[in-house]
Amino acid sequence: MDLGIAGKWALVCAASKGLGKGCAEALVREGVHVVVTARGTEALEATAAALRALHPAVQVRAVAGDITTEAGRAAALAAAPQVDILVNNAGGPPPGDFRDWRREQWLAAVEGNMITPIELIRLTVDGMAERGFGRVVNITSSAVKAPIDFLGLSNGARSGLTGFVAGTARQARLASRNVTINNLLPGSFDTDRLRSGFATVASKSGQPVEAVREARRKLVPAQRFGHADEFGAYCAWLCSQQAGYVTGQNLLIDGGAYPGTY
Ligand code: NAP
């Protein structure tokens, strides 16, 4: 299927590794020019080179910086002539017990996983509406629908973003101008983030990392973890011309792990 987005410009945040990188790869394969960001330059430059190799006609610009800061967002936005597609992403907040968290930890979580995507939406969607095309995909988490007790910072901050998107995506001045905003909710994907979580559980519980990984794998009906390229393909479709009637949705991609009917 031709997704009809060749030549568009995308800003894919936090994209040197993992799910963000999967989204950037899928968009580049469709002929979309991308700005990719991350804090660490080494992995970011390697990813940018790999993206350029995927599609020689596509422009790939790498911007090093922390997307959760105003300066990081300004630099990322300045690198694109226009933003037709925005993929919001950043590192997730750390796990833990709410009894140990104070205002500082909550503010960092809200800044990274709620205010940062909202700011980038504010700065891009009216231009998208003027041009009659825009796609925003926010990478959130299946924990928005099925909260995980030790991920309280994530559950809380991402729920704030989810509530904001539910209202904003339905503004007629956006939806009627072919601007969609959706949240893509990953379950367990085989990325550095997932692997570091296993290592933390293993060191706390005294179990081998492989045992922790196997126990977690068996909880997924698909009996495996997701691949970043599967996530990227879903993201690219949500950014397609064909997905123009899908907005304000929370879309799970989790191998069947969410146990509910709705
Ligand atoms: P990952 O493999 O650790 O990759 C994270 C990427 O984001 C890296 O490129 C990292 O590069 C970049 N990054 C992190 N913080 C950043 C910041 N402040 N500014 C700019 N770039 C930043 O993580 P992932 O698994 O792809 O996860 C992506 C998001 O999905 C996270 O919010 C995570 O909590 C959420 N999620 C993941 C899963 C899963 O199973 N993997 C499940 C549910 C939710 P630098 O470190 O160099 O900046």
Side-chain angles (χ1 to χ4, degrees):
M1 186 193 279
D2 177 1
L3 301 185
I5 49 177
K8 302 283 189 200
W9 271 93
L11 167 57
V12 187
C13 305
S16 66
K17 298 177 186 169
L19 304 179
K21 182 180 176 186
C23 295
E25 284 174 351
L27 289 168
V28 165
R29 282 202 177 90
E30 291 300 317
V32 175
H33 306 300
V34 293
V35 174
V36 285
T37 86
R39 292 163 303 178
T41 49
E42 199 177 324
L44 181 63
E45 289 304 335
T47 293
L51 291 171
R52 287 182 192 110
L54 283 178
H55 199 309
V58 154
Q59 292 190 55
V60 176
R61 297 182 184 169
V63 178
D66 185 341
I67 201 70
T68 70
T69 66
E70 208 169 332
R73 292 189 289 274
L77 289 169
Q82 65 189 49
V83 177
D84 305 306
I85 293 168
L86 169 65
V87 180
N88 273 316
N89 187 30
D97 188 315
F98 77 94
R99 293 167 187 83
D100 300 325
W101 298 327
R102 299 293 176 267
R103 190 165 183 273
E104 192 188 346
Q105 284 82 29
W106 276 107
L107 288 180
V110 167
E111 189 78 55
N113 297 98
M114 179 181 169
I115 295 175
T116 290
I118 291 173
E119 275 291 274
L120 287 168
I121 288 169
R122 177 180 71 80
L123 293 164
T124 54
V125 289
D126 290 333
M128 293 176 183
E130 276 166 30
R131 294 187 297 274
F133 177 92
R135 300 286 182 265
V136 179
V137 176
N138 302 306
I139 300 180
T140 66
S141 173
S142 60
V144 170
K145 283 179 82 98
I148 301 165
D149 65 352
F150 56 83
L151 290 179
L153 289 170
S154 172
N155 300 336
R158 294 190 202 278
S159 293
L161 173 65
T162 305
F164 167 80
V165 167
T168 305
R170 292 175 171 87
Q171 284 191 354
R173 62 190 281 194
L174 298 175
S176 74
R177 298 287 302 148
N178 193 21
V179 177
T180 69
I181 312 178
N182 291 290
N183 303 318
L184 201 43
L185 283 52
S188 298
F189 277 78
D190 199 2
T191 65
D192 283 2
R193 161 113 177 152
L194 193 75
R195 287 187 283 269
S196 71
F198 294 152
T200 307
V201 173
S203 72
K204 281 190 181 158
S205 66
Q207 299 172 73
V209 175
E210 198 44 44
V212 174
R213 186 182 167 90
E214 271 303 282
R216 185 71 178 276
R217 180 185 67 77
K218 286 180 183 156
L219 292 176
V220 184
Q223 299 286 288
R224 66 174 178 85
F225 301 119
H227 304 302
D229 57 351
E230 294 173 301
F231 191 89
Y234 199 172
C235 175
W237 181 79
L238 276 175
C239 297
S240 72
Q241 295 286 355
Q242 292 88 336
Y245 210 49
V246 180
T247 197
Q249 300 304 303
N250 290 290
L251 302 161
L252 280 165
I253 171 165
D254 69 349
Y258 174 70
T261 306
Y262 303 107

